[in-house]
Amino acid sequence: ISGMHHPNFRVISNFRKEFFSYIQGVFVQVIKVCGGIGLVKVGKMDIDGTKIRASASSGRTKDKKGYEKWLKRIEGEIKEILKEAGEIDDKEDKEYGHNKRGDTLPKSLRKKGALRKKIKEMMKGLKDDKEKVNLTDNDAKFIKERNGVIRTNYNPQIGVTKDQVIVAADVTNNACDAV
């Protein structure tokens, strides 16, 4: 498939997305061939999974009250930045003269403004006050790992036959492996 190249994760991901129906068809054909030669039988199938960390900080997973508190803090910081920017503008106007550039926002204000907008959008999507959603990765959920640590994770699952032929694979944000 790769023609002896060593593609990175993005190339593989794009290939999978572009040729999903083809890959799905090949997967079914492989299972049929395995069944034809006796590697796959109707009967017991083992399912197992593992926890994989999401690319999301646990600190950004909040309920509605948490987002409201964060939003209040961000709006306070924006107010302080605007006050400071106004004071600097006045000082620079006195020092350099009126209307000399000054048409750019400070970087800190641009970042806080974008964060404020994202938090407000996130809050609109919350179904109830108890629901927790991560701002960075909305699908990631708190899942306990084997070592007992609870982090924002995903739970990839794999189904194999007695002969160790993979017949199913999926990724979920459900913590439980049991069906």
Side-chain angles (χ1 to χ4, degrees), residues 52-63 66-67 70 132-137 140-145 149-154:
I52 295 179
R53 295 251 354 242
S55 181
S57 165
S58 296
R60 287 191 164 217
T61 301
K62 301 180 183 308
D63 58 13
Y67 279 116
W70 195 9
K132 288 191 173 191
V133 179
N134 187 282
L135 191 66
T136 309
D137 186 346
K141 299 292 182 214
F142 282 122
I143 298 176
K144 185 186 274 188
E145 297 174 356
V149 176
I150 299 173
R151 293 190 177 125
T152 48
N153 286 320
Y154 287 98

PDB file of all heavy atoms in Angstrom, residues 52-63 66-67 70 132-137 140-145 149-154:
ATOM      1  N   ILE A  52      -6.357   5.077  26.102  1.00  0.00           N
ATOM      2  CA  ILE A  52      -5.392   5.922  25.407  1.00  0.00           C
ATOM      3  C   ILE A  52      -5.709   7.362  25.753  1.00  0.00           C
ATOM      4  O   ILE A  52      -6.850   7.807  25.610  1.00  0.00           O
ATOM      5  CB  ILE A  52      -5.453   5.707  23.877  1.00  0.00           C
ATOM      6  CG1 ILE A  52      -5.020   4.292  23.543  1.00  0.00           C
ATOM      7  CG2 ILE A  52      -4.586   6.726  23.161  1.00  0.00           C
ATOM      8  CD1 ILE A  52      -5.073   3.969  22.073  1.00  0.00           C
ATOM      9  N   ARG A  53      -4.695   8.099  26.231  1.00  0.00           N
ATOM     10  CA  ARG A  53      -4.895   9.489  26.620  1.00  0.00           C
ATOM     11  C   ARG A  53      -5.381  10.322  25.452  1.00  0.00           C
ATOM     12  O   ARG A  53      -4.860  10.236  24.343  1.00  0.00           O
ATOM     13  CB  ARG A  53      -3.582  10.103  27.123  1.00  0.00           C
ATOM     14  CG  ARG A  53      -3.056   9.495  28.370  1.00  0.00           C
ATOM     15  CD  ARG A  53      -3.097  10.292  29.650  1.00  0.00           C
ATOM     16  NE  ARG A  53      -3.502  11.650  29.649  1.00  0.00           N
ATOM     17  CZ  ARG A  53      -2.724  12.656  30.014  1.00  0.00           C
ATOM     18  NH1 ARG A  53      -1.481  12.450  30.336  1.00  0.00           N
ATOM     19  NH2 ARG A  53      -3.195  13.876  30.060  1.00  0.00           N
ATOM     20  N   ALA A  54      -6.360  11.131  25.712  1.00  0.00           N
ATOM     21  CA  ALA A  54      -6.843  12.091  24.729  1.00  0.00           C
ATOM     22  C   ALA A  54      -5.877  13.269  24.701  1.00  0.00           C
ATOM     23  O   ALA A  54      -5.169  13.519  25.679  1.00  0.00           O
ATOM     24  CB  ALA A  54      -8.240  12.567  25.115  1.00  0.00           C
ATOM     25  N   SER A  55      -5.857  13.963  23.606  1.00  0.00           N
ATOM     26  CA  SER A  55      -5.010  15.145  23.502  1.00  0.00           C
ATOM     27  C   SER A  55      -5.783  16.324  24.094  1.00  0.00           C
ATOM     28  O   SER A  55      -6.148  17.268  23.404  1.00  0.00           O
ATOM     29  CB  SER A  55      -4.652  15.415  22.043  1.00  0.00           C
ATOM     30  OG  SER A  55      -3.809  16.536  21.956  1.00  0.00           O
ATOM     31  N   ALA A  56      -6.091  16.203  25.373  1.00  0.00           N
ATOM     32  CA  ALA A  56      -6.913  17.205  26.035  1.00  0.00           C
ATOM     33  C   ALA A  56      -6.545  17.264  27.515  1.00  0.00           C
ATOM     34  O   ALA A  56      -6.446  16.243  28.172  1.00  0.00           O
ATOM     35  CB  ALA A  56      -8.389  16.831  25.886  1.00  0.00           C
ATOM     36  N   SER A  57      -6.367  18.454  28.010  1.00  0.00           N
ATOM     37  CA  SER A  57      -6.049  18.643  29.424  1.00  0.00           C
ATOM     38  C   SER A  57      -7.285  18.372  30.269  1.00  0.00           C
ATOM     39  O   SER A  57      -8.376  18.856  29.962  1.00  0.00           O
ATOM     40  CB  SER A  57      -5.590  20.082  29.642  1.00  0.00           C
ATOM     41  OG  SER A  57      -5.593  20.397  31.016  1.00  0.00           O
ATOM     42  N   SER A  58      -7.114  17.605  31.337  1.00  0.00           N
ATOM     43  CA  SER A  58      -8.230  17.332  32.242  1.00  0.00           C
ATOM     44  C   SER A  58      -8.759  18.623  32.857  1.00  0.00           C
ATOM     45  O   SER A  58      -9.939  18.725  33.179  1.00  0.00           O
ATOM     46  CB  SER A  58      -7.787  16.374  33.351  1.00  0.00           C
ATOM     47  OG  SER A  58      -7.429  15.136  32.795  1.00  0.00           O
ATOM     48  N   GLY A  59      -7.909  19.614  32.999  1.00  0.00           N
ATOM     49  CA  GLY A  59      -8.316  20.900  33.572  1.00  0.00           C
ATOM     50  C   GLY A  59      -9.278  21.676  32.697  1.00  0.00           C
ATOM     51  O   GLY A  59      -9.900  22.633  33.148  1.00  0.00           O
ATOM     52  N   ARG A  60      -9.389  21.279  31.440  1.00  0.00           N
ATOM     53  CA  ARG A  60     -10.322  21.955  30.534  1.00  0.00           C
ATOM     54  C   ARG A  60     -11.644  21.209  30.415  1.00  0.00           C
ATOM     55  O   ARG A  60     -12.459  21.532  29.566  1.00  0.00           O
ATOM     56  CB  ARG A  60      -9.687  22.143  29.157  1.00  0.00           C
ATOM     57  CG  ARG A  60      -8.628  23.223  29.189  1.00  0.00           C
ATOM     58  CD  ARG A  60      -8.175  23.601  27.809  1.00  0.00           C
ATOM     59  NE  ARG A  60      -7.461  24.865  27.892  1.00  0.00           N
ATOM     60  CZ  ARG A  60      -7.522  25.811  26.983  1.00  0.00           C
ATOM     61  NH1 ARG A  60      -8.249  25.648  25.915  1.00  0.00           N
ATOM     62  NH2 ARG A  60      -6.858  26.927  27.129  1.00  0.00           N
ATOM     63  N   THR A  61     -11.836  20.191  31.242  1.00  0.00           N
ATOM     64  CA  THR A  61     -13.116  19.491  31.284  1.00  0.00           C
ATOM     65  C   THR A  61     -13.895  20.064  32.452  1.00  0.00           C
ATOM     66  O   THR A  61     -13.470  19.951  33.598  1.00  0.00           O
ATOM     67  CB  THR A  61     -12.908  17.977  31.465  1.00  0.00           C
ATOM     68  OG1 THR A  61     -12.114  17.494  30.377  1.00  0.00           O
ATOM     69  CG2 THR A  61     -14.240  17.244  31.480  1.00  0.00           C
ATOM     70  N   LYS A  62     -15.010  20.703  32.155  1.00  0.00           N
ATOM     71  CA  LYS A  62     -15.769  21.410  33.178  1.00  0.00           C
ATOM     72  C   LYS A  62     -17.267  21.230  32.955  1.00  0.00           C
ATOM     73  O   LYS A  62     -17.699  20.950  31.853  1.00  0.00           O
ATOM     74  CB  LYS A  62     -15.450  22.906  33.144  1.00  0.00           C
ATOM     75  CG  LYS A  62     -13.982  23.225  33.357  1.00  0.00           C
ATOM     76  CD  LYS A  62     -13.719  24.716  33.308  1.00  0.00           C
ATOM     77  CE  LYS A  62     -12.255  25.039  33.450  1.00  0.00           C
ATOM     78  NZ  LYS A  62     -11.567  24.466  34.553  1.00  0.00           N
ATOM     79  N   ASP A  63     -18.025  21.432  34.036  1.00  0.00           N
ATOM     80  CA  ASP A  63     -19.473  21.487  33.913  1.00  0.00           C
ATOM     81  C   ASP A  63     -19.855  22.959  33.695  1.00  0.00           C
ATOM     82  O   ASP A  63     -18.990  23.833  33.595  1.00  0.00           O
ATOM     83  CB  ASP A  63     -20.162  20.889  35.146  1.00  0.00           C
ATOM     84  CG  ASP A  63     -19.761  21.591  36.439  1.00  0.00           C
ATOM     85  OD1 ASP A  63     -19.151  22.682  36.390  1.00  0.00           O
ATOM     86  OD2 ASP A  63     -20.069  21.033  37.504  1.00  0.00           O
ATOM     87  N   GLY A  66     -18.413  25.419  36.151  1.00  0.00           N
ATOM     88  CA  GLY A  66     -16.983  25.583  35.925  1.00  0.00           C
ATOM     89  C   GLY A  66     -16.700  26.518  34.765  1.00  0.00           C
ATOM     90  O   GLY A  66     -15.800  27.370  34.844  1.00  0.00           O
ATOM     91  N   TYR A  67     -17.481  26.363  33.662  1.00  0.00           N
ATOM     92  CA  TYR A  67     -17.289  27.250  32.508  1.00  0.00           C
ATOM     93  C   TYR A  67     -17.717  28.673  32.837  1.00  0.00           C
ATOM     94  O   TYR A  67     -17.092  29.632  32.397  1.00  0.00           O
ATOM     95  CB  TYR A  67     -18.031  26.730  31.272  1.00  0.00           C
ATOM     96  CG  TYR A  67     -17.267  25.655  30.550  1.00  0.00           C
ATOM     97  CD1 TYR A  67     -17.755  24.365  30.446  1.00  0.00           C
ATOM     98  CD2 TYR A  67     -16.029  25.926  29.973  1.00  0.00           C
ATOM     99  CE1 TYR A  67     -17.047  23.370  29.790  1.00  0.00           C
ATOM    100  CE2 TYR A  67     -15.312  24.942  29.313  1.00  0.00           C
ATOM    101  CZ  TYR A  67     -15.827  23.673  29.224  1.00  0.00           C
ATOM    102  OH  TYR A  67     -15.119  22.696  28.579  1.00  0.00           O
ATOM    103  N   TRP A  70     -14.898  30.180  34.826  1.00  0.00           N
ATOM    104  CA  TRP A  70     -13.770  30.440  33.935  1.00  0.00           C
ATOM    105  C   TRP A  70     -14.052  31.665  33.071  1.00  0.00           C
ATOM    106  O   TRP A  70     -13.195  32.525  32.885  1.00  0.00           O
ATOM    107  CB  TRP A  70     -13.514  29.205  33.089  1.00  0.00           C
ATOM    108  CG  TRP A  70     -12.193  29.158  32.380  1.00  0.00           C
ATOM    109  CD1 TRP A  70     -11.130  29.994  32.536  1.00  0.00           C
ATOM    110  CD2 TRP A  70     -11.794  28.208  31.401  1.00  0.00           C
ATOM    111  NE1 TRP A  70     -10.094  29.614  31.713  1.00  0.00           N
ATOM    112  CE2 TRP A  70     -10.479  28.517  31.005  1.00  0.00           C
ATOM    113  CE3 TRP A  70     -12.417  27.124  30.823  1.00  0.00           C
ATOM    114  CZ2 TRP A  70      -9.792  27.786  30.049  1.00  0.00           C
ATOM    115  CZ3 TRP A  70     -11.723  26.390  29.876  1.00  0.00           C
ATOM    116  CH2 TRP A  70     -10.422  26.717  29.496  1.00  0.00           C
ATOM    117  N   LYS A 132     -20.212  17.335  31.830  1.00  0.00           N
ATOM    118  CA  LYS A 132     -18.846  17.850  31.728  1.00  0.00           C
ATOM    119  C   LYS A 132     -18.340  17.611  30.313  1.00  0.00           C
ATOM    120  O   LYS A 132     -18.466  16.510  29.789  1.00  0.00           O
ATOM    121  CB  LYS A 132     -17.921  17.169  32.732  1.00  0.00           C
ATOM    122  CG  LYS A 132     -18.181  17.593  34.154  1.00  0.00           C
ATOM    123  CD  LYS A 132     -17.096  17.104  35.070  1.00  0.00           C
ATOM    124  CE  LYS A 132     -17.293  17.683  36.444  1.00  0.00           C
ATOM    125  NZ  LYS A 132     -16.158  17.464  37.297  1.00  0.00           N
ATOM    126  N   VAL A 133     -17.756  18.649  29.730  1.00  0.00           N
ATOM    127  CA  VAL A 133     -17.230  18.574  28.369  1.00  0.00           C
ATOM    128  C   VAL A 133     -15.866  19.235  28.358  1.00  0.00           C
ATOM    129  O   VAL A 133     -15.658  20.253  28.999  1.00  0.00           O
ATOM    130  CB  VAL A 133     -18.178  19.282  27.367  1.00  0.00           C
ATOM    131  CG1 VAL A 133     -17.632  19.222  25.964  1.00  0.00           C
ATOM    132  CG2 VAL A 133     -19.572  18.682  27.417  1.00  0.00           C
ATOM    133  N   ASN A 134     -14.933  18.647  27.594  1.00  0.00           N
ATOM    134  CA  ASN A 134     -13.587  19.200  27.482  1.00  0.00           C
ATOM    135  C   ASN A 134     -13.566  20.246  26.379  1.00  0.00           C
ATOM    136  O   ASN A 134     -14.050  20.000  25.275  1.00  0.00           O
ATOM    137  CB  ASN A 134     -12.580  18.085  27.196  1.00  0.00           C
ATOM    138  CG  ASN A 134     -11.169  18.601  27.257  1.00  0.00           C
ATOM    139  OD1 ASN A 134     -10.692  19.233  26.330  1.00  0.00           O
ATOM    140  ND2 ASN A 134     -10.505  18.357  28.372  1.00  0.00           N
ATOM    141  N   LEU A 135     -12.987  21.405  26.654  1.00  0.00           N
ATOM    142  CA  LEU A 135     -12.943  22.505  25.693  1.00  0.00           C
ATOM    143  C   LEU A 135     -12.070  22.171  24.487  1.00  0.00           C
ATOM    144  O   LEU A 135     -12.366  22.564  23.376  1.00  0.00           O
ATOM    145  CB  LEU A 135     -12.421  23.774  26.386  1.00  0.00           C
ATOM    146  CG  LEU A 135     -12.545  25.072  25.610  1.00  0.00           C
ATOM    147  CD1 LEU A 135     -14.007  25.445  25.415  1.00  0.00           C
ATOM    148  CD2 LEU A 135     -11.824  26.202  26.335  1.00  0.00           C
ATOM    149  N   THR A 136     -10.990  21.425  24.697  1.00  0.00           N
ATOM    150  CA  THR A 136     -10.064  21.087  23.621  1.00  0.00           C
ATOM    151  C   THR A 136     -10.573  19.941  22.763  1.00  0.00           C
ATOM    152  O   THR A 136     -10.494  19.979  21.542  1.00  0.00           O
ATOM    153  CB  THR A 136      -8.690  20.697  24.209  1.00  0.00           C
ATOM    154  OG1 THR A 136      -8.273  21.713  25.108  1.00  0.00           O
ATOM    155  CG2 THR A 136      -7.660  20.519  23.118  1.00  0.00           C
ATOM    156  N   ASP A 137     -11.088  18.886  23.401  1.00  0.00           N
ATOM    157  CA  ASP A 137     -11.531  17.680  22.703  1.00  0.00           C
ATOM    158  C   ASP A 137     -12.887  17.273  23.280  1.00  0.00           C
ATOM    159  O   ASP A 137     -12.968  16.622  24.307  1.00  0.00           O
ATOM    160  CB  ASP A 137     -10.505  16.563  22.892  1.00  0.00           C
ATOM    161  CG  ASP A 137     -10.811  15.311  22.096  1.00  0.00           C
ATOM    162  OD1 ASP A 137     -11.942  15.181  21.601  1.00  0.00           O
ATOM    163  OD2 ASP A 137      -9.912  14.462  21.973  1.00  0.00           O
ATOM    164  N   ALA A 140     -13.604  13.502  24.332  1.00  0.00           N
ATOM    165  CA  ALA A 140     -12.819  12.847  25.382  1.00  0.00           C
ATOM    166  C   ALA A 140     -13.608  12.833  26.693  1.00  0.00           C
ATOM    167  O   ALA A 140     -14.291  13.791  27.026  1.00  0.00           O
ATOM    168  CB  ALA A 140     -11.495  13.569  25.580  1.00  0.00           C
ATOM    169  N   LYS A 141     -13.514  11.715  27.413  1.00  0.00           N
ATOM    170  CA  LYS A 141     -14.219  11.570  28.696  1.00  0.00           C
ATOM    171  C   LYS A 141     -13.241  11.144  29.776  1.00  0.00           C
ATOM    172  O   LYS A 141     -12.204  10.555  29.507  1.00  0.00           O
ATOM    173  CB  LYS A 141     -15.321  10.509  28.584  1.00  0.00           C
ATOM    174  CG  LYS A 141     -16.393  10.827  27.557  1.00  0.00           C
ATOM    175  CD  LYS A 141     -17.234  11.996  27.971  1.00  0.00           C
ATOM    176  CE  LYS A 141     -18.313  12.263  26.949  1.00  0.00           C
ATOM    177  NZ  LYS A 141     -18.651  13.625  26.773  1.00  0.00           N
ATOM    178  N   PHE A 142     -13.607  11.412  31.034  1.00  0.00           N
ATOM    179  CA  PHE A 142     -12.795  10.941  32.156  1.00  0.00           C
ATOM    180  C   PHE A 142     -12.947   9.433  32.256  1.00  0.00           C
ATOM    181  O   PHE A 142     -14.060   8.919  32.389  1.00  0.00           O
ATOM    182  CB  PHE A 142     -13.240  11.573  33.475  1.00  0.00           C
ATOM    183  CG  PHE A 142     -12.759  12.986  33.664  1.00  0.00           C
ATOM    184  CD1 PHE A 142     -13.647  14.018  33.873  1.00  0.00           C
ATOM    185  CD2 PHE A 142     -11.407  13.277  33.644  1.00  0.00           C
ATOM    186  CE1 PHE A 142     -13.204  15.312  34.059  1.00  0.00           C
ATOM    187  CE2 PHE A 142     -10.952  14.569  33.837  1.00  0.00           C
ATOM    188  CZ  PHE A 142     -11.856  15.592  34.040  1.00  0.00           C
ATOM    189  N   ILE A 143     -11.825   8.721  32.164  1.00  0.00           N
ATOM    190  CA  ILE A 143     -11.822   7.258  32.245  1.00  0.00           C
ATOM    191  C   ILE A 143     -10.681   6.851  33.177  1.00  0.00           C
ATOM    192  O   ILE A 143      -9.562   7.337  33.059  1.00  0.00           O
ATOM    193  CB  ILE A 143     -11.623   6.613  30.847  1.00  0.00           C
ATOM    194  CG1 ILE A 143     -12.774   6.999  29.911  1.00  0.00           C
ATOM    195  CG2 ILE A 143     -11.508   5.106  30.973  1.00  0.00           C
ATOM    196  CD1 ILE A 143     -12.606   6.484  28.484  1.00  0.00           C
ATOM    197  N   LYS A 144     -10.988   5.925  34.083  1.00  0.00           N
ATOM    198  CA  LYS A 144      -9.971   5.435  35.013  1.00  0.00           C
ATOM    199  C   LYS A 144      -9.037   4.487  34.278  1.00  0.00           C
ATOM    200  O   LYS A 144      -9.477   3.574  33.579  1.00  0.00           O
ATOM    201  CB  LYS A 144     -10.619   4.697  36.182  1.00  0.00           C
ATOM    202  CG  LYS A 144      -9.608   4.270  37.255  1.00  0.00           C
ATOM    203  CD  LYS A 144     -10.248   3.412  38.324  1.00  0.00           C
ATOM    204  CE  LYS A 144     -10.858   4.260  39.381  1.00  0.00           C
ATOM    205  NZ  LYS A 144     -11.335   3.467  40.532  1.00  0.00           N
ATOM    206  N   GLU A 145      -7.740   4.697  34.441  1.00  0.00           N
ATOM    207  CA  GLU A 145      -6.729   3.830  33.831  1.00  0.00           C
ATOM    208  C   GLU A 145      -6.395   2.681  34.780  1.00  0.00           C
ATOM    209  O   GLU A 145      -6.837   2.671  35.930  1.00  0.00           O
ATOM    210  CB  GLU A 145      -5.478   4.655  33.515  1.00  0.00           C
ATOM    211  CG  GLU A 145      -5.742   5.757  32.503  1.00  0.00           C
ATOM    212  CD  GLU A 145      -4.552   6.670  32.290  1.00  0.00           C
ATOM    213  OE1 GLU A 145      -3.513   6.519  32.970  1.00  0.00           O
ATOM    214  OE2 GLU A 145      -4.660   7.557  31.424  1.00  0.00           O
ATOM    215  N   VAL A 149      -5.452   6.102  37.966  1.00  0.00           N
ATOM    216  CA  VAL A 149      -5.490   7.522  37.643  1.00  0.00           C
ATOM    217  C   VAL A 149      -6.652   7.780  36.681  1.00  0.00           C
ATOM    218  O   VAL A 149      -6.876   7.021  35.736  1.00  0.00           O
ATOM    219  CB  VAL A 149      -4.149   7.971  36.999  1.00  0.00           C
ATOM    220  CG1 VAL A 149      -4.212   9.423  36.560  1.00  0.00           C
ATOM    221  CG2 VAL A 149      -3.003   7.755  37.971  1.00  0.00           C
ATOM    222  N   ILE A 150      -7.386   8.850  36.927  1.00  0.00           N
ATOM    223  CA  ILE A 150      -8.501   9.218  36.056  1.00  0.00           C
ATOM    224  C   ILE A 150      -8.049  10.381  35.186  1.00  0.00           C
ATOM    225  O   ILE A 150      -7.650  11.432  35.702  1.00  0.00           O
ATOM    226  CB  ILE A 150      -9.750   9.590  36.878  1.00  0.00           C
ATOM    227  CG1 ILE A 150     -10.190   8.389  37.704  1.00  0.00           C
ATOM    228  CG2 ILE A 150     -10.864  10.075  35.969  1.00  0.00           C
ATOM    229  CD1 ILE A 150     -11.308   8.681  38.682  1.00  0.00           C
ATOM    230  N   ARG A 151      -8.103  10.193  33.871  1.00  0.00           N
ATOM    231  CA  ARG A 151      -7.682  11.222  32.914  1.00  0.00           C
ATOM    232  C   ARG A 151      -8.684  11.274  31.762  1.00  0.00           C
ATOM    233  O   ARG A 151      -9.493  10.382  31.596  1.00  0.00           O
ATOM    234  CB  ARG A 151      -6.300  10.890  32.342  1.00  0.00           C
ATOM    235  CG  ARG A 151      -5.187  10.965  33.332  1.00  0.00           C
ATOM    236  CD  ARG A 151      -3.849  10.851  32.619  1.00  0.00           C
ATOM    237  NE  ARG A 151      -2.759  10.988  33.552  1.00  0.00           N
ATOM    238  CZ  ARG A 151      -1.789  10.108  33.697  1.00  0.00           C
ATOM    239  NH1 ARG A 151      -1.743   9.031  32.951  1.00  0.00           N
ATOM    240  NH2 ARG A 151      -0.832  10.302  34.569  1.00  0.00           N
ATOM    241  N   THR A 152      -8.555  12.321  30.934  1.00  0.00           N
ATOM    242  CA  THR A 152      -9.364  12.364  29.719  1.00  0.00           C
ATOM    243  C   THR A 152      -8.767  11.359  28.742  1.00  0.00           C
ATOM    244  O   THR A 152      -7.604  11.466  28.362  1.00  0.00           O
ATOM    245  CB  THR A 152      -9.380  13.781  29.102  1.00  0.00           C
ATOM    246  OG1 THR A 152      -8.053  14.279  29.042  1.00  0.00           O
ATOM    247  CG2 THR A 152     -10.255  14.719  29.901  1.00  0.00           C
ATOM    248  N   ASN A 153      -9.561  10.358  28.376  1.00  0.00           N
ATOM    249  CA  ASN A 153      -9.083   9.229  27.582  1.00  0.00           C
ATOM    250  C   ASN A 153     -10.098   8.808  26.527  1.00  0.00           C
ATOM    251  O   ASN A 153     -11.235   9.270  26.507  1.00  0.00           O
ATOM    252  CB  ASN A 153      -8.848   8.003  28.487  1.00  0.00           C
ATOM    253  CG  ASN A 153      -7.612   8.117  29.339  1.00  0.00           C
ATOM    254  OD1 ASN A 153      -6.586   8.588  28.895  1.00  0.00           O
ATOM    255  ND2 ASN A 153      -7.721   7.672  30.581  1.00  0.00           N
ATOM    256  N   TYR A 154      -9.646   7.881  25.715  1.00  0.00           N
ATOM    257  CA  TYR A 154     -10.496   7.104  24.812  1.00  0.00           C
ATOM    258  C   TYR A 154     -10.259   5.634  25.138  1.00  0.00           C
ATOM    259  O   TYR A 154      -9.257   5.273  25.736  1.00  0.00           O
ATOM    260  CB  TYR A 154     -10.136   7.367  23.346  1.00  0.00           C
ATOM    261  CG  TYR A 154     -10.578   8.719  22.876  1.00  0.00           C
ATOM    262  CD1 TYR A 154      -9.700   9.787  22.839  1.00  0.00           C
ATOM    263  CD2 TYR A 154     -11.890   8.932  22.484  1.00  0.00           C
ATOM    264  CE1 TYR A 154     -10.106  11.037  22.421  1.00  0.00           C
ATOM    265  CE2 TYR A 154     -12.312  10.184  22.052  1.00  0.00           C
ATOM    266  CZ  TYR A 154     -11.416  11.219  22.026  1.00  0.00           C
ATOM    267  OH  TYR A 154     -11.823  12.453  21.609  1.00  0.00           O
TER     268      TYR A 154
END
